[in-house]
Amino acid sequence: MDMIDPFGRTISYLRVSVTDRCDFRCTYCMAEDMAFLPKKDLLSLEELDRLCTVFIEKGVRRLRLTGGEPLVRKNIMHLVRQLSRHLDSGALEELTLTTNGSQLSRFAAELADCGVKRINVSLDTLDADKFHKITRWGHLDKVMQGIDAAQAAGLKVKLNAVALKDFNDAELPEMMRWAHGRGMDLTVIETMPMGEIDTDRTDQYLPLSLLRASLERQFTLTDIPFKTGGPARYVHVAETGGRLGFITPMTHNFCESCNRVRLTCTGTLYMCLGQEDAADLRSPLRASEGNELVAEAIDEAIGRKPKGHDFIIDRRTSRPSVSRHMSVTGG
Ligand code: SAM
């Protein structure tokens, strides 16, 4: 039975944050001094597989692993390998991953072997010093090696860059040329007010309407209907022959076509990235060996999926719209 929410939207896309831990501390995502979940609160890989399988039985066709950084979860490839049986059976159309790329050179070949066809790599700058500054702990050369390894393994790579005022706005045209030159799409994302960070988001926030207007002074952008199952709206760039995506949760929300829910590594289901409401799936999962209780809890949660989010970034609103960091749900 399909999962259909109160607004008639069919839920066919599950994002699973397999860990809240990350080997980077991107300044817009996390505070430097983050408290992470005790290991005992995490679902085991077997429990994550069981939950994902219930969602697939209930109509999920695309599944994205994320984090934290998914590739730092111990034995993560065991879960990927297990989930790949749903690709083999045809129940799942796509198994994919969002990663910061730091561990990709180790895992790219195995991901491809498990049937992963495309991945998103988050990359906000091509300047090594700026990269270290924004990620606090990351090294650009490791990520570049990861991208090379992914492409060598035959994975299609899309780059995701958060557009940050006075940080990477001037560099984005060059990043786009570079990405397109290597056969990668680039998607730019507006920063969202999620979790307390060490800086003021108002100083970082760049509405993508401004970025698009500035790009249009140099490039010919044509809207295209291309979709990957996510919320990006794409343009074709005549000068590079590549695709550029815009994810605009702040200036133009896309909630009317939302097909997603998000599961965290503790078995908490968020029905909307921009709302606090959540459902506990860990208790019904652990309460019985059968899946009836958890399937009922999922139906109940989908039945209260909200219409949309109400993110605000301005000088008068000092508190983030939602208290949890993006690393809890993985975007
Ligand atoms: N570690 C993985 C990665 O770097 O892709 C997966 C998790 S990370 C939280 C997922 C994406 O969310 C990254 O592209 C990151 O840049 C983005 N992100 C984090 N905090 C954000 C925020 N407040 N607003 C918009 N995007 C954010």
Side-chain angles (χ1 to χ4, degrees):
M1 261 234 299
D2 280 352
M3 294 179 285
I4 301 179
D5 80 359
F7 303 93
R9 298 168 297 191
T10 300
I11 309 307
S12 56
Y13 187 174
L14 178 68
R15 297 192 180 187
V16 185
S17 172
V18 295
T19 174
D20 62 331
R21 289 167 196 249
C22 188
D23 51 350
F24 290 2
R25 289 289 179 281
C26 298
T27 55
Y28 54 83
C29 182
M30 290 184 177
E32 184 156 22
D33 183 17
M34 290 282 289
F36 291 109
L37 292 163
K39 292 224 168 79
K40 67 172 177 37
D41 288 352
L42 301 194
L43 294 184
S44 66
L45 294 176
E46 286 68 28
E47 287 174 321
L48 278 171
D49 176 59
R50 194 175 140 209
L51 258 183
C52 290
T53 301
V54 176
F55 274 100
I56 293 165
E57 285 165 357
K58 293 180 75 58
V60 159
R61 306 282 292 146
R62 288 165 188 255
L63 198 150
R64 177 177 295 278
L65 300 180
T66 175
E69 170 47 42
L71 296 180
V72 303
R73 171 97 194 227
K74 201 163 166 218
N75 287 335
I76 185 63
M77 291 313 301
H78 175 71
L79 177 64
V80 178
R81 179 77 59 190
Q82 286 296 109
L83 290 173
S84 73
R85 73 188 183 283
H86 299 298
L87 291 172
D88 298 338
S89 74
L92 199 59
E93 250 169 51
E94 182 174 62
L95 175 60
T96 179
L97 184 92
T98 297
T99 174
N100 64 26
S102 67
Q103 312 293 317
L104 252 186
S105 50
R106 279 204 287 154
F107 293 118
E110 201 176 347
L111 286 168
D113 190 53
C114 289
V116 173
K117 298 264 183 286
R118 63 181 186 107
I119 58 172
N120 289 353
V121 177
S122 304
L123 181 64
D124 300 322
T125 174
L126 293 175
D127 177 300
D129 292 335
K130 282 168 71 179
F131 184 83
H132 191 62
K133 196 167 158 217
I134 197 83
T135 61
R136 290 186 179 117
W137 295 1
H139 296 285
L140 183 65
D141 55 343
K142 287 289 294 172
V143 175
M144 290 299 172
Q145 286 162 19
I147 292 173
D148 290 344
Q151 289 195 311
L155 296 173
K156 204 164 161 33
V157 177
K158 177 167 82 81
L159 297 185
N160 282 342
V162 177
L164 298 164
K165 190 164 67 181
D166 300 332
F167 176 75
N168 60 3
D169 38 357
E171 199 196 333
L172 286 167
E174 183 199 330
M175 273 187 79
M176 180 175 79
R177 281 202 191 89
W178 178 79
H180 291 176
R182 290 192 51 156
M184 300 184 281
D185 291 347
L186 171 69
T187 294
V188 280
I189 306 173
E190 285 172 343
T191 185
M192 291 170 242
M194 299 185 66
E196 295 285 353
I197 52 171
D198 303 317
T199 45
D200 183 344
R201 288 190 195 275
T202 329
D203 295 332
Q204 305 180 321
Y205 171 52
L206 175 67
L208 291 187
S209 43
L210 294 185
L211 176 71
R212 180 169 176 155
S214 133
L215 287 173
E216 278 177 327
R217 289 197 279 277
Q218 299 178 55
F219 299 97
T220 318
L221 310 183
T222 311
D223 290 310
I224 51 171
F226 178 73
K227 280 271 161 210
T228 61
R233 284 172 300 133
Y234 282 89
V235 296
H236 175 262
V237 184
E239 289 74 7
T240 61
R243 272 190 300 249
L244 175 67
F246 294 92
I247 299 185
T248 54
M250 305 302 298
T251 51
H252 177 276
N253 89 33
F254 30 72
C255 304
E256 67 285 352
S257 60
C258 184
N259 56 357
R260 299 174 281 290
V261 287
R262 294 168 167 87
L263 182 66
T264 72
C265 57
T266 55
T268 304
L269 187 72
Y270 286 94
M271 288 71 82
C272 174
L273 185 62
Q275 302 285 356
E276 302 281 6
D277 186 31
D280 167 36
L281 300 184
R282 185 175 58 185
S283 307
L285 185 80
R286 289 184 175 169
S288 134
E289 280 185 10
N291 289 335
E292 297 75 19
L293 292 179
V294 74
E296 270 170 35
I298 293 171
D299 286 338
E300 198 271 330
I302 301 293
R304 53 176 217 265
K305 182 170 160 70
K307 192 166 181 196
H309 60 252
D310 333 278
F311 285 135
I312 299 172
I313 295 183
D314 65 23
R315 297 239 176 252
R316 276 163 301 152
T317 315
S318 55
R319 291 173 65 82
S321 301
V322 295
S323 56
R324 64 182 185 278
H325 291 90
M326 185 69 99
S327 52
V328 175
T329 49

